[in-house]
């Protein structure tokens, strides 16, 4: 959702800054708070028995007695050592039964959900994703600009998807009970403008460096097989399906891009980007090559620990305009990062794991009426 939004060498300053991030922002007129957390502690492990990642979805009930506008989220990872990201999805009445059935299938809290909520009947709409909020390292409480919100109906449930990464971990307690505080107001009291989330994924085709190219996973095909083994056939196909979405060819490159048309008129209020550990730069641009080309987001030096959404001066786009996300990744970073110590270099494609990569632009916008 659109937000009103350095390193500190001194430890005291870091501690003070952490306290400031943890302190919730004051409620505005008419707003209320609801806190939800994972019902019981969950200890992650790779569900396929392969790899170092676990995606778990937890069904939460905000217990709203009336229709509401969601005006902010404050997601708190319970165990930051293993929580890679958190996404909150809206589950409307049509999916509630499917979510309840899925939740009942396991004796543990939640269910495995690589690539989305993992629900029968779920429809992935990149141009209007059912996101309510998200957290990634560096994230903090998000609050919509005054006059904006996301509708949440009475009876709607929320799925909290947590990506647990076991790539780097101590041998201590891995259990987690992540939580979120919702900021909301009764819909009857206000007439807000609805905020939507548009997702801009691009394929990743990062080749092994020449001196490492003899490795068993140093080809596109071998890497896709490996992704499927860890996350399943459906999710593993994403690496190839993104080429169909973007109209691109499978070709090794350290810079990837995807341009998609705007399907309906909108005003962009905020942007964010997402990559993993081999990311170096990320941009989101509108109408590249045209007279009205604009740069909506420029991250010249990717910092995995600073993925907060960024508000921008509103930009209006018409249907037929374009949005382009571009990412640059570097294999050389694996020589510098402890997460890759002792791992073999591989051809990197789009994958759900922390040792895989993504190139994702996130646009928060209001559609024209």
């Amino acid at each position: 959702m659109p937000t009103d939004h350095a390193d500190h060498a001194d430890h005291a300053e870091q501690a003070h800054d952490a306290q400031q991030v943890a302190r919730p922002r004051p409620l505005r007129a008419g707003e209320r708070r609801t806190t939800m957390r994972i019902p019981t502690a969950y200890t992650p492990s790779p569900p396929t028995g392969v790899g170092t990642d676990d995606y778990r979805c937890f069904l939460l009930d905000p217990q709203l007695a009336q229709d509401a506008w969601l005006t902010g989220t404050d997601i708190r990872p319970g165990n930051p050592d293993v929580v890679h990201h958190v996404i909150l999805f809206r589950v409307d009445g049509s999916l509630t039964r499917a979510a309840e059935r899925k939740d009942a299938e396991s004796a543990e809290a939640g269910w495995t959900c690589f690539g989305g909520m993992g629900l029968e009947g779920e429809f992935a709409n990149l141009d209007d994703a059912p996101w309510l909020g998200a957290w990634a390292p560096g994230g903090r409480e998000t609050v919509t600009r005054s006059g904006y919100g996301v509708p949440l109906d009475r009876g709607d449930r929320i799925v909290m998807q947590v990506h647990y990464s076991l790539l780097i971990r101590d041998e201590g307690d891995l259990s987690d009970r992540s939580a979120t505080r919702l900021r909301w107001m009764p819909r009857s009291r206000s007439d807000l403008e609805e905020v939507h989330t548009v997702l801009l994924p691009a394929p990743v085709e990062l080749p092994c460096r020449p001196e490492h190219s003899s490795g068993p996973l140093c080809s596109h095909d071998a890497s896709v097989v490996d992704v499927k083994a860890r996350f399943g056939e459906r999710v593993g196909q994403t690496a190839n399906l993104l080429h169909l979405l973007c109209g691109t060819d499978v070709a090794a490159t350290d810079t990837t891009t995807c341009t998609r048309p705007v399907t309906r008129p909108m005003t962009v209020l905020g942007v964010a980007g997402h990559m993993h550990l081999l990311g170096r730069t990320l941009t989101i641009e509108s109408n590249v090559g045209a007279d009205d080309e604009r740069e909506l987001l420029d991250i010249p030096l990717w910092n995995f620990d600073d993925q907060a959404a960024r508000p921008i001066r509103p930009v209006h786009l018409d249907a037929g305009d374009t949005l382009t996300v571009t990412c640059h990744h570097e294999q050389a970073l694996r020589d510098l990062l402890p997460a890759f110590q002792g791992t073999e270099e591989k051809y990197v494609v789009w994958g759900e794991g922390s040792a895989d990569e993504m190139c994702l632009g996130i646009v928060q916008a209001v559609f024209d009426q």
Side-chain angles (χ1 to χ4, degrees), residues 277-290:
L277 299 173
L278 299 179
R280 178 60 85 176
T281 66
L282 186 149
T283 62
I284 300 175
E285 301 165 286
S286 63
N287 295 332
V288 172

Side-chain angles (χ1 to χ4, degrees), residues 69-100:
W69 286 107
L70 184 69
T71 54
T73 59
D74 187 11
I75 298 170
R76 301 299 181 96
N79 188 342
D81 289 338
V82 293
V83 177
H84 174 111
H85 79 242
V86 179
I87 299 174
L88 302 179
F89 296 98
R90 175 188 175 187
V91 181
D92 62 23
S94 65
L95 283 177
T96 299
R97 290 287 183 88
E100 291 173 341

Side-chain angles (χ1 to χ4, degrees), residues 42-56 82 108 112-114 163-167 169 174 229-232 353:
Y42 175 73
T43 300
S45 62
T48 63
V50 182
T52 56
D53 299 275
D54 186 0
Y55 276 57
R56 196 77 177 178
V82 293
E108 294 183 283
T112 298
C113 57
F114 293 116
H163 172 191
Y164 296 104
S165 175
L166 307 177
L167 193 60
R169 61 180 177 85
L174 302 180
R230 287 180 285 131
F231 308 122

